[in-house]
Amino acid sequence: MNFDLTDEQRAIQATVAEFARERVAPRAEEMDRNEAFPYDLVAEMADLGLMGLPFPEEYGGAGADTVSYALAIMELARVDASTAITMAAHVSLGASPFYLFGSEEQKRRYLVPLAQGRMLWGFGLTEPGAGSDAGNTQTKAELRDGKWIVNGTKAFITNSGTELTGGTTITAATGTRSDGKPEITNLIVPQDTVGFTRSKKYRKMGWRASDTRELAFADAEIPAENVLGRRGDGLRNFLTILDGGRISVAALSVGLAMGAYDEALKYARERRAFGKPIGKFQAIQFKLVDMLVEIEHAKLMTLKAAWEKDGGRDYAQTASLAKLYAAEVSRRVVNEAVQIHGGYGFMDEYPVSRMYRDQKVNEIGEGTNEMQRLLIARMIGL
Amino acid sequence: MKIVVTVKLVPDANTEKRIDPATKRLVRAGVETVLNPFDEYAIEAALQLKERLAAAPGSAEPATVTVFSMAPESAREVLRKALAMGADDAVLLCDAGLQGSDVWATAYAVAAALKKVGFDLVVTGGLADDGNTGGVPGALAEYLGVPGLTNARAIEVADGKLKVQRETDTGYQVVTGPMPALVSVTMAIGEPRYASLKGIMGAKKKTITTISLAELGLDRAVGSDGAKTEVRELAAPPVRGKGRVVEASDGAQGAQVIFDYLKEKKLV
């Protein structure tokens, strides 16, 4: 048993923490208020190597491991959840499918610019009528004259409509399997495909500086070779991607909780009531200690899932446990952080109020808390 | 062209520090050691110069950047940060006999080591965040026997000659000189870059060479034996009194109170 980070992991954590503190934190409130996607920060993150952090150098990545990736997400989410989800969705949802299932040619063509951060990419699984029920994909694709003709709609797709977005990989029903269920395949849909349109950005409660849109396909034509992975493997492949994505959201949740705790601790030292800092009162002390206990616990679970993934172990269960627990911890911690701030916590200019809004989706994205419980129940044989 | 950047490791300025009342020394426990922030600007200057030389048309041989430090063995991890920023290799002058070196002893020992390492240009920070003497760059240039150009805000190399903008109180001077030379830089040289993650991953593969005192064959004592100055006492700065809070019914009245106060102190 060894809890030490390697020199590289520590250095990456320190560098991202410094970047987050100096470059991202001062902008977080304004970006949230204006729902402004930070192109300049994304360019800086690309220069740093964050956008391709876990991919091998030969594909334009930084060649770091999943533990480093989780630490980087935590440090970004600690100051701004929007920036963290932009990076996390890019790496684990946009780029990973190409890395895991792409042909060599597809890796060269798509993964390299994605890992270099020169291009962003969407991951189109969820539909207006198929969220947790992801197998119920209504988007259909038909092979006609050497082309896929795609029809349908995708919902809540991150990074799908920025100026840097090159396209989206989607799940589409491409036929019927021998058991009567739909055959689901992953298709690569470039942004300039005729018949493929993006809605305006959703107006969201949180993650407001991230780019989230609805996608519509109306007889959208894409080349026959734009299949990612094997035909018919689409759902299974995307569910594999979601296993990794759970580490992302767990790390996002831990980071957000850390940030809320930082703010609450600072406030408890500064704010005075009845002649002394409120941190001198047990009611506030106990809240902060309870927050710290839960954060440490969630952080250890998240890093364990990342460590298992790095070791080539089966990490799906730990990732689900970590995601479920960390998401709930982020809710409890941010709620108490607002409570410690009292009335000021309800005001926009205090970061905890933004964190409170940013938190909620941690319990929804990449599998709701309820789906997480269901999945884990299946894993333990119930 | 070989550029050597000298760096110092200092206690992190962002952590609260205590002085042990018995030894009158800084309590190092719990205080992280970091690259002297001023030296990060020196690294940035060297890396910029290297990049500009590489991009210049018809540049002869590529420039390399070596990071040099006189520090204990534990400095290796901090030197990795400089390597992650983009330096090519590092040299550590490390010897128990160097402990207690003052400005003179440091400059004397480092100059001998730099002669051994070899250089076309030495780039240093303006001063160290802990000692704040700012004396080493000048003394180092003297012992190296090369021109010392201090307070540089920009460095250019063309046709083997050096052109430096030296910051002054009122503007800057443009100074040229031959190489080898030593240049100390100010913060106007440009914000130090972040170490890229690729750089961090690659830093481990770069070499850190260690030099001991014996290899330098110095003819004068360094360390506390050779130091010409001695730190007799360290003291925490006096606690500042509470500031005065002006309460006023409106801005104009408040401004008047502040103005009267400044006038009374003969400050306006």
Side-chain angles (χ1 to χ4, degrees):
Chain A
M1 201 72 199
N2 182 359
F3 286 95
D4 284 332
L5 298 177
T6 65
D7 289 348
E8 284 87 357
Q9 288 162 350
R10 238 193 347 253
I12 288 174
Q13 180 185 34
T15 301
V16 179
E18 195 180 335
F19 173 77
R21 200 170 52 236
E22 292 175 358
R23 306 292 304 156
V24 184
R27 304 260 306 274
E29 189 203 334
E30 180 205 336
M31 282 164 24
D32 173 73
R33 189 171 54 238
N34 300 333
E35 300 181 297
F37 186 85
Y39 287 99
D40 54 343
L41 283 183
V42 169
E44 287 181 43
M45 283 155 68
D47 286 346
L48 261 184
L50 279 172
M51 303 305 273
L53 189 147
F55 305 114
E57 281 193 44
E58 57 166 322
Y59 295 119
D65 57 12
T66 315
V67 168
S68 303
Y69 168 74
L71 292 168
I73 296 290
M74 284 177 198
E75 292 302 336
L76 283 178
R78 193 171 187 165
V79 305
D80 183 38
S82 288
T83 307
I85 186 58
T86 296
M87 174 196 157
H90 173 73
V91 169
S92 82
L93 302 180
S96 279
F98 292 107
Y99 177 57
L100 290 177
F101 310 117
S103 65
E104 188 56 31
E105 199 260 322
Q106 287 169 334
K107 284 183 182 144
R108 296 272 158 225
R109 182 161 170 196
Y110 300 106
L111 179 58
V112 170
L114 291 175
Q116 291 170 341
R118 288 189 282 122
M119 184 163 88
L120 298 177
W121 202 268
F123 172 87
L125 173 66
T126 301
E127 298 188 356
S132 296
D133 187 12
N136 181 33
T137 299
Q138 296 300 309
T139 298
K140 291 189 170 45
E142 200 185 326
L143 203 51
R144 216 188 287 158
D145 302 332
K147 281 179 176 165
W148 291 103
I149 311 297
V150 186
N151 281 288
T153 315
K154 295 288 174 184
F156 315 136
I157 312 304
T158 304
N159 289 339
S160 62
T162 73
E163 290 163 19
L164 292 170
T165 304
T168 292
T169 309
I170 61 165
T171 47
T174 48
T176 308
R177 300 192 314 202
S178 51
D179 61 3
K181 290 186 174 168
E183 174 198 80
I184 294 178
T185 302
N186 294 145
L187 298 176
I188 300 167
V189 190
Q191 204 73 336
D192 57 5
T193 300
V194 175
F196 169 34
T197 52
R198 278 76 55 191
S199 72
K200 280 190 186 164
K201 277 198 284 191
Y202 288 105
R203 301 201 52 208
K204 307 192 291 285
M205 175 202 276
W207 290 6
R208 285 161 55 91
S210 73
D211 183 273
T212 321
R213 295 172 199 254
E214 187 167 288
L215 313 182
F217 307 92
D219 287 333
E221 274 189 18
I222 55 168
E225 72 263 22
N226 278 23
V227 172
L228 184 66
R230 279 211 317 250
R231 184 172 172 169
D233 281 354
L235 189 61
R236 198 175 60 199
N237 287 350
F238 266 33
L239 293 181
T240 303
I241 294 293
L242 287 189
D243 285 339
R246 289 193 179 111
I247 296 177
S248 304
V249 179
L252 263 162
S253 303
V254 171
L256 185 127
M258 285 159 61
Y261 170 82
D262 292 341
E263 293 296 326
L265 183 64
K266 192 169 74 179
Y267 190 79
R269 287 190 171 129
E270 288 167 0
R271 170 75 183 181
R272 296 176 74 87
F274 307 103
K276 51 185 171 181
I278 59 170
K280 292 289 177 201
F281 296 105
Q282 277 191 342
I284 302 297
Q285 290 174 351
F286 286 8
K287 278 187 200 297
L288 283 160
V289 171
D290 290 346
M291 287 155 83
L292 188 58
V293 170
E294 291 210 300
I295 291 168
E296 276 294 306
H297 188 177
K299 187 173 173 185
L300 286 175
M301 271 175 114
T302 304
L303 291 177
K304 184 177 178 222
W307 173 83
E308 286 177 353
K309 185 166 188 259
D310 285 333
R313 295 159 201 253
D314 179 1
Y315 66 94
Q317 182 172 327
T318 314
S320 270
L321 288 168
K323 195 272 175 184
L324 169 62
Y325 185 67
E328 295 192 349
V329 165
S330 73
R331 164 164 43 84
R332 290 193 287 268
V333 167
V334 77
N335 183 48
E336 291 293 28
V338 170
Q339 194 68 17
I340 288 169
H341 279 71
Y344 287 108
F346 196 62
M347 297 299 122
D348 256 357
E349 59 261 49
Y350 281 79
V352 288
S353 111
R354 180 183 75 248
M355 291 169 172
Y356 191 85
R357 289 183 285 102
D358 282 339
Q359 181 279 323
K360 187 60 217 175
V361 72
N362 290 341
E363 300 186 273
I364 299 170
E366 315 265 321
T368 60
N369 289 358
E370 293 71 21
M371 284 307 290
Q372 236 46 260
R373 287 192 162 81
L374 207 65
L375 277 174
I376 297 163
R378 274 187 214 149
M379 288 172 187
I380 60 177
L382 296 172
Chain B
M1 176 174 161
K2 185 168 180 176
I3 307 169
V4 180
V5 184
T6 56
V7 301
K8 187 177 183 185
L9 307 184
V10 297
D12 188 353
N14 295 318
T15 46
E16 206 172 310
K17 281 172 268 312
R18 279 189 314 114
I19 291 158
D20 185 329
T23 62
K24 302 277 184 203
R25 287 198 171 185
L26 183 71
V27 180
R28 296 300 287 255
V31 180
E32 221 183 313
T33 301
V34 298
L35 267 181
N36 170 30
F38 297 102
D39 295 342
E40 289 193 20
Y41 289 85
I43 297 169
E44 178 62 32
L47 294 175
Q48 279 180 18
L49 191 56
K50 173 184 167 172
E51 286 159 1
R52 279 203 309 275
L53 288 172
S59 64
E61 51 172 323
T64 58
V65 175
T66 299
V67 177
F68 174 95
S69 191
M70 179 176 117
E73 188 66 31
S74 58
R76 282 175 174 270
E77 199 192 327
V78 187
L79 287 179
R80 295 261 174 231
K81 184 181 174 188
L83 294 174
M85 284 172 77
D88 298 285
D89 59 358
V91 178
L92 184 61
L93 172 60
C94 173
D95 201 298
L98 288 160
Q99 265 181 40
S101 291
D102 63 351
V103 169
W104 177 82
T106 300
Y108 189 68
V110 169
L114 290 183
K115 282 181 189 164
K116 191 176 159 62
V117 170
F119 62 89
D120 297 296
L121 180 65
V122 175
V123 184
T124 77
L127 73 167
D129 200 31
D130 54 352
N132 271 296
T133 65
V136 171
L140 195 51
E142 183 66 21
Y143 278 114
L144 288 171
V146 300
L149 301 155
T150 51
N151 290 336
R153 65 195 283 277
I155 309 172
E156 248 179 85
V157 171
D159 305 325
K161 283 185 101 180
L162 199 58
K163 190 165 151 192
V164 164
Q165 293 179 9
R166 287 192 70 250
E167 217 169 271
T168 69
D169 283 346
T170 50
Y172 63 87
Q173 306 166 334
V174 179
V175 182
T176 58
M179 288 203 292
L182 177 144
V183 177
S184 75
V185 302
T186 70
M187 287 158 81
I189 203 92
E191 273 300 301
R193 64 195 63 194
Y194 293 102
S196 79
L197 305 196
K198 228 179 251 184
I200 290 170
M201 298 307 291
K204 203 146 220 178
K205 293 175 213 130
K206 295 177 176 174
T207 46
I208 301 179
T209 315
T210 308
I211 304 180
S212 69
L213 217 41
E215 291 170 65
L216 300 183
L218 299 178
D219 50 10
R220 293 161 78 174
V222 291
S224 43
D225 292 344
K228 296 177 188 295
T229 55
E230 184 192 351
V231 177
R232 300 294 286 272
E233 192 171 322
L234 278 175
V239 182
R240 268 199 244 172
K242 264 193 180 171
R244 182 178 156 202
V245 177
V246 175
E247 290 191 25
S249 54
D250 60 38
Q253 194 214 339
Q256 189 62 48
V257 176
I258 294 169
F259 179 76
D260 292 345
Y261 173 79
L262 293 173
K263 198 167 176 189
E264 180 197 316
K265 294 277 170 191
K266 298 195 183 345
L267 291 167
V268 285

